[in-house]
Amino acid sequence: MNIFLDDSKCREQLFPFSLTRHVADIRVGILTIKEKWAQLSSAIIFTNEKDIPADALIINANIIPTRQNINILLKAAADKIAVMDGDDIKIIHHPWQIFQINDWALRHDFEFLTKNRVSQKISNTNKCINEKNIFVEDGAIVEFSFLNAASGPIYIGKNAEVMEGSMIRGPFSLGENSVLKMGSKIYGATSVGPYCIAGGEIKNSVFFGYSNKAHDGYLGDSVLGEWCNLGAGSSNSNVKNTGGEIKYVINQNQDTLTAGNKAGLLMGDYSRSAINTSFNTGTIIGVCCNIFGSIVPGKYTHNFSWGNERYIFEKALKDIGNWKKMKQQSLTATEIEMLQQLYLLNQ
């Protein structure tokens, strides 16, 4: 079976995350959307329109497949019938829905990934509640921590490490080769992607991959793209003092959309904040931004912002390269070309 995941109809409204990736590469739950389709359908997945086989089923890339709905979605695609949001089918129309449906997605991914499998033995140095709902992959290290899976599952990925003193309340996932620092306080539903470092207090947030929030500070109802870094003490607000509805600025025209009464930080790829940065409710940070200074960042920060100025492109690439070296990675020619096109678009 061949499946083409089409993001042409949903790409624009998923800023800033769709600027640097196909919508199918957005992470929600434990896996990306593309990974879910590949594993659940056993199909060959295509995301480049130039490569589509003639027999491919065309499916909108923002639809989330699960073991329970996969046959419904495949039949709808074969019959060319549109599917709608519901209890069993979730569609991401806006970027804040990534953290809003993360609880639902985490539970479905955990069920699928652990079905008929046996967890690595959990060390008796840990205090566990509802241990049958905890799964530790091979090579992972978890010692002297509190793991409470009474309210949702806990998934620890391959070669990940939960350092001592961490307190985790599910649902929660820690990706392959990621680290949860000592004394972390984690509330569900939180997903930390692969090769990340997480610490401090985190609630209902998603890290895509290769990003860091390694120190104290609060992150709640938020999404970090790839290669992001929050400096020590950085925190975000996720609730207004009035308890009212929170709006995100969704484009340069300052148009807004309401996201509910709990909504935090949405940070695009390659962006960073200095120590003790404070983010207001409903803040969007674009791609490749360096946030620093004494002023609280605005609700909408343009791509390639360097403080209150515009990043010099060569400097931006050098800084990204420095961060990549810390994780034994380097900028690829494809990334440089993509960033250059985005930089020119935002002149």
Side-chain angles (χ1 to χ4, degrees), residues 142-210:
V142 187
E143 299 286 354
F144 294 99
S145 293
F146 297 88
L147 310 176
N148 183 356
S151 56
I154 294 173
Y155 177 86
I156 309 299
K158 185 178 179 182
N159 298 324
E161 181 177 6
V162 177
M163 290 185 175
E164 52 271 23
S166 294
M167 297 179 287
I168 302 171
R169 178 182 287 265
F172 170 73
S173 69
L174 185 65
E176 181 178 346
N177 283 290
S178 286
V179 175
L180 195 61
K181 298 290 286 293
M182 289 192 299
S184 298
K185 296 179 287 186
I186 309 297
Y187 299 86
T190 291
S191 297
V192 177
Y195 297 91
C196 291
I197 302 175
E201 184 178 2
I202 304 172
K203 173 249 180 187
N204 193 37
S205 295
V206 178
F207 295 49
F208 280 8
Y210 296 94

Side-chain angles (χ1 to χ4, degrees), residues 18-302:
S18 55
L19 291 175
T20 47
R21 64 176 48 74
H22 194 282
V23 166
D25 291 319
I26 286 175
R27 185 176 306 278
V28 56
I30 301 173
L31 305 171
T32 67
I33 298 171
K34 182 178 179 180
E35 288 169 344
K36 298 177 204 289
W37 278 107
Q39 294 196 37
L40 288 163
S41 67
S42 299
I44 300 174
I45 307 299
F46 295 87
T47 54
N48 189 333
E49 193 170 0
K50 297 177 182 178
D51 301 329
I52 311 172
D55 63 345
L57 294 177
I58 300 175
I59 299 173
N60 288 337
N62 58 338
I63 299 173
I64 312 298
T66 68
R67 194 168 62 86
Q68 287 73 20
N69 70 23
I70 185 74
N71 290 329
I72 296 171
L73 297 178
L74 291 174
K75 186 177 187 308
D79 296 340
K80 298 183 179 180
I81 299 172
V83 297
M84 305 294 289
D85 283 296
D87 293 337
D88 299 321
I89 297 173
K90 304 295 183 186
I91 303 173
I92 301 176
H93 301 285
H94 305 291
W96 49 88
Q97 291 177 311
I98 296 169
F99 65 75
Q100 289 176 341
I101 69 169
N102 197 49
D103 186 299
W104 177 89
L106 251 169
R107 294 173 192 272
H108 281 285
D109 285 354
F110 182 88
E111 179 191 8
F112 168 71
L113 289 172
T114 65
K115 187 175 178 60
N116 298 324
R117 298 179 62 215
V118 178
S119 169
Q120 182 185 183
K121 180 176 172 53
I122 300 172
S123 169
N124 60 12
T125 66
N126 299 291
K127 174 64 176 178
C128 298
I129 301 175
N130 197 23
E131 188 171 332
K132 70 179 188 303
N133 222 19
I134 301 171
F135 195 95
V136 179
E137 294 281 5
D138 290 345
I141 300 170
V142 187
E143 299 286 354
F144 294 99
S145 293
F146 297 88
L147 310 176
N148 183 356
S151 56
I154 294 173
Y155 177 86
I156 309 299
K158 185 178 179 182
N159 298 324
E161 181 177 6
V162 177
M163 290 185 175
E164 52 271 23
S166 294
M167 297 179 287
I168 302 171
R169 178 182 287 265
F172 170 73
S173 69
L174 185 65
E176 181 178 346
N177 283 290
S178 286
V179 175
L180 195 61
K181 298 290 286 293
M182 289 192 299
S184 298
K185 296 179 287 186
I186 309 297
Y187 299 86
T190 291
S191 297
V192 177
Y195 297 91
C196 291
I197 302 175
E201 184 178 2
I202 304 172
K203 173 249 180 187
N204 193 37
S205 295
V206 178
F207 295 49
F208 280 8
Y210 296 94
S211 288
N212 305 325
K213 181 207 171 296
H215 305 289
D216 285 343
Y218 176 72
L219 185 72
D221 299 290
S222 296
V223 182
L224 301 183
E226 292 191 343
W227 299 104
C228 296
N229 188 78
L230 299 184
S234 293
S235 292
N236 78 280
S237 169
N238 62 335
V239 179
K240 282 186 173 183
N241 284 347
T242 63
E245 294 287 312
I246 298 167
K247 292 183 178 181
Y248 283 101
V249 177
I250 58 171
N251 54 41
Q252 296 184 24
N253 298 325
Q254 301 293 300
D255 296 327
T256 61
L257 280 178
T258 299
N261 62 3
K262 288 190 177 182
L265 171 66
L266 305 175
M267 178 175 275
D269 290 0
Y270 312 107
S271 289
R272 303 170 293 278
S273 72
I275 63 169
N276 296 323
T277 301
S278 297
F279 296 97
N280 270 321
T281 57
T283 293
I284 293 181
I285 303 296
V287 172
C288 196
C289 296
N290 193 350
I291 307 298
F292 61 89
S294 58
I295 299 174
V296 173
K299 297 268 286 183
Y300 182 100
T301 299
H302 295 278

Side-chain angles (χ1 to χ4, degrees), residues 19-20 50 270 304 313 317 320 331-345:
L19 291 175
T20 47
K50 297 177 182 178
Y270 312 107
F304 296 98
F313 184 66
L317 292 185
I320 293 170
L331 263 169
T332 66
T334 300
E335 283 179 296
I336 294 171
E337 182 182 2
M338 175 269 295
L339 288 167
Q340 187 169 40
Q341 290 176 357
L342 186 59
Y343 191 84
L344 294 173
L345 281 175

